[in-house]
Amino acid sequence: MDRQRTDKNEETSAQGRPTLKTLAFMTGLGVTTVSRALKDAPEIGAETRRRVQLVAKQIGYRPNRAGVRLRTGRTNVISLVLNTDREIMSFVSDIIYGVSEVLAETPYHLIVTPYSRSQDPMEPIRYLVETGSADGVIISRTQPNDPRARYLLEHGMPFATHGRTDMGLVHPYHDFDNHAFAMEAVRRLASMGRRRLALLSPPPGLTYYSHTLNGFADALSEVGASEIPFNTVSIDNTIEQIRMRTAQVMRRDVRPDGFVSSAAAATLAIVAGIEDAGLKLGRDVDVVSKQSSDLLHLFRPELLVVNENFRLAGSELARSVLGWIGGAAPGSLQSLVVANGVQALNQPVPA
Amino acid sequence: MDRQRTDKNEETSAQGRPTLKTLAFMTGLGVTTVSRALKDAPEIGAETRRRVQLVAKQIGYRPNRAGVRLRTGRTNVISLVLNTDREIMSFVSDIIYGVSEVLAETPYHLIVTPYSRSQDPMEPIRYLVETGSADGVIISRTQPNDPRARYLLEHGMPFATHGRTDMGLVHPYHDFDNHAFAMEAVRRLASMGRRRLALLSPPPGLTYYSHTLNGFADALSEVGASEIPFNTVSIDNTIEQIRMRTAQVMRRDVRPDGFVSSAAAATLAIVAGIEDAGLKLGRDVDVVSKQSSDLLHLFRPELLVVNENFRLAGSELARSVLGWIGGAAPGSLQSLVVANGVQALNQPVPA
DNA sequence: TTGGCAATCTGTAACGTTTCAGTATATTGA
DNA sequence: TCAATATACTGAAACGTTACAGATTGCCAA
């Protein structure tokens, strides 16, 4: 079980895919010259360079990734590190699409490196660094003090985080402005006369948890509304837990007349809980929710939504990592996207 | 004899990750011996083998993928080929998780190879084969006569399809029994007294389109119900298109009193359309829908649902590809899942 | 003794790429 | 004129792995 080629002569131009040796044979040049000609090295004659590149294009030469990787250590791989059981569904595919879109025009491949509940989140990161399996890494579920970011920085591995850190270290990131989202959501609810607001927050521990909380609190004091505590659940809880908890709080004497929800799936549960308690959306209570695909308005037209574009996030993250690999300053590869305000019903939102 | 002088740069034990050479130096053996000892080759002494493996574990040796790949052509990569704009969201992430789960316990990596609307679906396939970028491939959106499957088969690249083909060629697949789903859906509607049924089908062209249609038709005649044509849209249409079309058909004199929907997102649109026409779910019409995550019941409790487990699909597909790579017969790597529970089987499904 | 054989182990040569240290040839400065 | 220098190219080595074709040893039959 081995390759069919056994002759050590270069004459074998017919089979297998072309290599530098093939190209060298066809052009009558040395492999070194061909290699350099293909990457526009300065010490190659213009004429020769053009000739080599022409032939390469003609026969469809593509550098062997294993060869390059073995020699240079460059993998041409970007790894997207995902939590296999925590990440919310649609989220992930959108990010993947966004990343793919950007990587498609480059020699880079996207590999998905999963880790599950049972594992240390650092494990895949260490694996990537130790084995040098990727040239760059994208991580999500970013924490204020994120050991992954610190580790990657220490080991000189380019990366970008979905969400910001707060460690005094500078690195590329892409983030959605959840502070602005929460403020906008509260303002909107206040403008509808809602005064007792509850927040279904992101999971504590992640950076955007406090962003959201702060935005919520800032806007509360701005508009003079009050908060109904709802912090025994987060969007990481199950649908059933959120639903039950919502129903509970809605049955109390002093109950929320407005909700801010950080995730679409969770919003379904909130609304179900509201209705479990015999109350009506739009009359007794209003809900502002983030969503990543434009479906919530079908669920209940009364819902107020803010769109978060995860596909864009994927693209930005990919661009950031590539930029860092390409030598750009990490500090110049940060982006923060602000939503275009709260949308009632289905008005398209370009981001 | 004396191997004290072989060290060219052996002394530099502090650098980089360990290679076979490192291991050879530490054990006092040759690299060949170490290589074979690690893979339990028969001509290595039991004592030596144990010793080598112990040391390898101690210093955390991991074979260099580029080296292996360059030498053997084996990539240890499985590629998941995805349509970047057509695939429905949650779908994809579930499959990825399923695949990851299986691959996690192997030396294999998952790489996502995208293609977009603008491209020929064959392009990524050809790329993978020509560059030998993967040892196995998973494709979805399978067609009865699928050029990708044929090409992969012709070129000896192991693969598995999500959905079956109908070309008389045998290859691994995983499929959800949509014929059974459609029949079950119709029976359920019929048992509720519904007699004029409409089907929101999968996109024509894909294999499970006809499976679904046939199941629908078979059950219709079984229960003596009739079909209201609804074939100007499929689940590949936009939410808005489906919604409008549903509203149209529901405003007619002879309108459906039951729907069968092949996708959850589309079901949202159907229900919206029904309500646009001033009708009420559960009273004027019932809807049976497939779903991949358990959310539809929150949307409208009256909805009837059948769960399709895409995570399972991902796992099965990964297992199939690995099995084929491992030398199993392609025909033994086919699975069809009905309702809840996988059946391994090799026989054709009711056409 | 001789030769044969099995059991272990080993060096060398690839795989395709890039880098290092050159080698020719022409061009220039004096 | 000679040497210095730039221009255009080249072979060899190396990255880490595995396959191939030996080595070396001990043992036993003849």
Side-chain angles (χ1 to χ4, degrees):
Chain A
M1 46 164 305
D2 40 50
R3 326 290 235 168
Q4 64 281 30
R5 43 134 66 301
T6 322
D7 44 352
K8 35 214 165 189
N9 283 345
E10 296 82 351
E11 309 292 332
T12 69
S13 52
Q15 80 262 55
R17 52 191 276 236
T19 71
L20 286 183
K21 206 155 83 179
T22 320
L23 241 41
F25 177 69
M26 295 181 72
T27 56
L29 298 162
V31 289
T32 302
T33 310
V34 172
S35 174
R36 314 194 81 147
L38 286 177
K39 45 176 59 74
D40 290 320
E43 58 265 85
I44 302 295
E47 156 79 15
T48 304
R49 180 161 47 216
R50 277 213 329 275
R51 196 158 60 88
V52 170
Q53 292 181 350
L54 177 72
V55 176
K57 194 145 298 170
Q58 284 295 334
I59 66 175
Y61 167 77
R62 293 179 197 259
N64 179 304
R65 310 188 116 229
V68 175
R69 178 164 172 180
L70 183 57
R71 178 64 234 246
T72 65
R74 235 187 40 232
T75 62
N76 279 330
V77 159
I78 300 294
S79 171
L80 176 62
V81 180
L82 290 180
N83 182 316
T84 322
D85 31 50
R86 274 298 209 20
E87 312 274 16
I88 312 118
M89 304 305 165
S90 57
F91 186 162
V92 165
S93 30
D94 275 327
I95 289 193
I96 287 176
Y97 291 157
V99 173
S100 298
E101 221 165 64
V102 171
L103 259 40
E105 289 137 32
T106 74
Y108 283 86
H109 283 181
L110 168 64
I111 110 170
V112 174
T113 306
Y115 67 99
S116 60
R117 178 177 28 225
S118 51
Q119 288 171 25
D120 180 4
M122 280 294 292
E123 200 197 289
I125 308 294
R126 271 193 292 259
Y127 171 84
L128 288 170
V129 168
E130 282 169 11
T131 65
S133 300
D135 298 340
V137 177
I138 297 172
I139 61 181
S140 61
R141 295 188 71 83
T142 309
Q143 303 174 7
N145 190 329
D146 201 303
R148 300 169 301 172
R150 191 185 305 279
Y151 181 89
L152 289 167
L153 216 41
E154 276 168 3
H155 289 78
M157 168 75 84
F159 68 99
T161 60
H162 188 206
R164 282 162 286 177
T165 59
D166 188 16
M167 311 182 284
L169 299 179
V170 41
H171 60 81
Y173 63 77
H174 174 85
D175 205 356
F176 177 85
D177 191 339
N178 286 283
H179 185 278
F181 156 70
M183 287 200 72
E184 196 50 35
V186 168
R187 288 200 191 104
R188 181 60 192 262
L189 289 170
S191 77
M192 302 171 77
R194 304 305 187 180
R195 313 227 69 76
R196 297 183 311 278
L197 309 184
L199 170 67
L200 180 61
S201 75
L206 305 196
T207 310
Y208 81 113
Y209 168 76
S210 47
H211 291 161
T212 307
L213 251 62
N214 291 341
F216 187 72
D218 289 353
L220 276 187
S221 76
E222 175 189 296
V223 303
S226 67
E227 171 175 14
I228 306 288
F230 193 58
N231 46 26
T232 54
V233 281
S234 79
I235 59 172
D236 257 13
N237 283 86
T238 66
I239 294 295
E240 275 316 308
Q241 290 168 330
I242 297 172
R243 178 179 186 168
M244 273 180 37
R245 191 75 192 92
T246 304
Q248 273 176 24
V249 78
M250 292 310 286
R251 285 195 177 102
R252 292 215 281 257
D253 293 338
V254 180
R255 53 173 165 77
D257 57 4
F259 274 90
V260 177
S261 167
S262 289
T267 302
L268 301 189
I270 290 179
V271 172
I274 288 171
E275 295 172 354
D276 287 344
L279 300 171
K280 189 164 171 352
L281 187 68
R283 185 192 62 195
D284 306 304
V285 57
D286 276 297
V287 178
V288 180
S289 175
K290 266 206 293 189
Q291 68 174 359
S292 60
S293 56
D294 204 23
L295 290 175
L296 278 181
H297 66 97
L298 291 176
F299 176 56
R300 294 288 186 278
E302 297 85 6
L303 283 172
L304 306 166
V305 297
V306 174
N307 289 303
E308 176 169 6
N309 189 339
F310 283 109
R311 192 160 185 147
L312 172 70
S315 300
E316 286 299 314
L317 288 165
R319 258 188 279 271
S320 293
V321 178
L322 292 183
W324 195 354
I325 292 173
S332 68
L333 300 166
Q334 307 172 331
S335 56
L336 184 65
V337 57
V338 185
N340 305 22
V342 179
Q343 307 285 317
L345 280 177
N346 39 348
Q347 302 168 10
V349 178
Chain B
M1 285 293 136
D2 57 337
R3 46 200 57 284
Q4 228 59 357
R5 52 188 172 90
T6 40
D7 51 347
K8 225 172 130 170
N9 48 4
E10 312 280 19
E11 308 294 331
T12 60
S13 53
Q15 98 285 36
R17 51 190 276 234
T19 71
L20 285 183
K21 205 153 85 179
T22 319
L23 241 41
F25 178 70
M26 295 180 74
T27 56
L29 298 163
V31 289
T32 303
T33 309
V34 172
S35 173
R36 315 196 79 149
L38 286 177
K39 46 175 59 76
D40 289 319
E43 59 264 84
I44 302 295
E47 157 79 16
T48 305
R49 180 160 46 217
R50 277 213 328 275
R51 197 157 60 89
V52 170
Q53 291 182 351
L54 178 73
V55 176
K57 194 145 300 169
Q58 284 295 334
I59 66 174
Y61 167 77
R62 292 179 198 257
N64 179 304
R65 310 189 114 229
V68 175
R69 179 166 173 179
L70 183 57
R71 180 62 236 247
T72 66
R74 238 188 39 233
T75 62
N76 279 330
V77 159
I78 301 294
S79 170
L80 176 62
V81 179
L82 290 180
N83 183 316
T84 321
D85 31 49
R86 275 297 209 22
E87 312 274 14
I88 311 117
M89 304 306 166
S90 57
F91 187 159
V92 165
S93 31
D94 274 327
I95 289 193
I96 288 176
Y97 292 157
V99 173
S100 297
E101 221 165 65
V102 171
L103 260 41
E105 289 137 31
T106 74
Y108 284 86
H109 284 181
L110 169 64
I111 111 170
V112 174
T113 306
Y115 67 99
S116 60
R117 179 177 29 225
S118 50
Q119 287 173 23
D120 180 5
M122 281 293 293
E123 200 196 289
I125 308 293
R126 270 194 291 260
Y127 172 84
L128 288 170
V129 169
E130 281 168 12
T131 64
S133 299
D135 298 340
V137 177
I138 296 173
I139 60 180
S140 61
R141 295 187 72 83
T142 310
Q143 303 174 6
N145 190 328
D146 200 304
R148 299 169 303 171
R150 189 187 307 279
Y151 181 89
L152 289 167
L153 215 42
E154 276 166 3
H155 290 78
M157 168 77 82
F159 68 99
T161 60
H162 188 206
R164 283 160 285 176
T165 59
D166 189 17
M167 313 183 282
L169 299 178
V170 40
H171 60 82
Y173 64 76
H174 174 85
D175 205 356
F176 177 84
D177 192 339
N178 286 283
H179 185 276
F181 156 69
M183 287 200 72
E184 193 52 34
V186 168
R187 288 201 191 104
R188 223 141 127 195
L189 290 170
S191 76
M192 302 171 79
R194 304 305 187 182
R195 311 226 69 77
R196 298 183 311 278
L197 310 183
L199 170 68
L200 180 61
S201 74
L206 306 195
T207 310
Y208 81 114
Y209 168 74
S210 47
H211 290 161
T212 307
L213 251 61
N214 292 339
F216 187 71
D218 290 353
L220 275 187
S221 75
E222 176 190 294
V223 303
S226 67
E227 172 176 12
I228 306 288
F230 194 58
N231 46 26
T232 53
V233 281
S234 79
I235 58 173
D236 257 14
N237 283 86
T238 67
I239 294 295
E240 275 316 309
Q241 289 168 330
I242 297 172
R243 178 179 186 167
M244 273 180 37
R245 192 74 192 94
T246 304
Q248 273 176 23
V249 77
M250 292 309 285
R251 286 194 177 102
R252 292 215 280 258
D253 295 336
V254 180
R255 53 172 165 77
D257 57 4
F259 273 91
V260 177
S261 167
S262 289
T267 301
L268 301 188
I270 290 180
V271 172
I274 287 171
E275 295 172 354
D276 287 345
L279 300 172
K280 189 168 171 350
L281 186 68
R283 185 192 63 193
D284 306 305
V285 57
D286 276 297
V287 178
V288 181
S289 174
K290 266 206 292 188
Q291 68 173 359
S292 60
S293 58
D294 205 23
L295 291 175
L296 278 181
H297 67 98
L298 291 176
F299 175 57
R300 293 289 185 280
E302 298 85 4
L303 283 172
L304 306 166
V305 297
V306 173
N307 289 303
E308 176 169 6
N309 189 340
F310 284 108
R311 191 160 186 148
L312 172 71
S315 301
E316 287 297 314
L317 288 165
R319 257 188 280 271
S320 293
V321 178
L322 292 182
W324 195 354
I325 291 172
S332 67
L333 300 166
Q334 305 172 331
S335 55
L336 184 66
V337 58
V338 186
N340 295 349
V342 195
Q343 298 177 346
L345 90 168
N346 299 333
Q347 68 212 26
V349 173

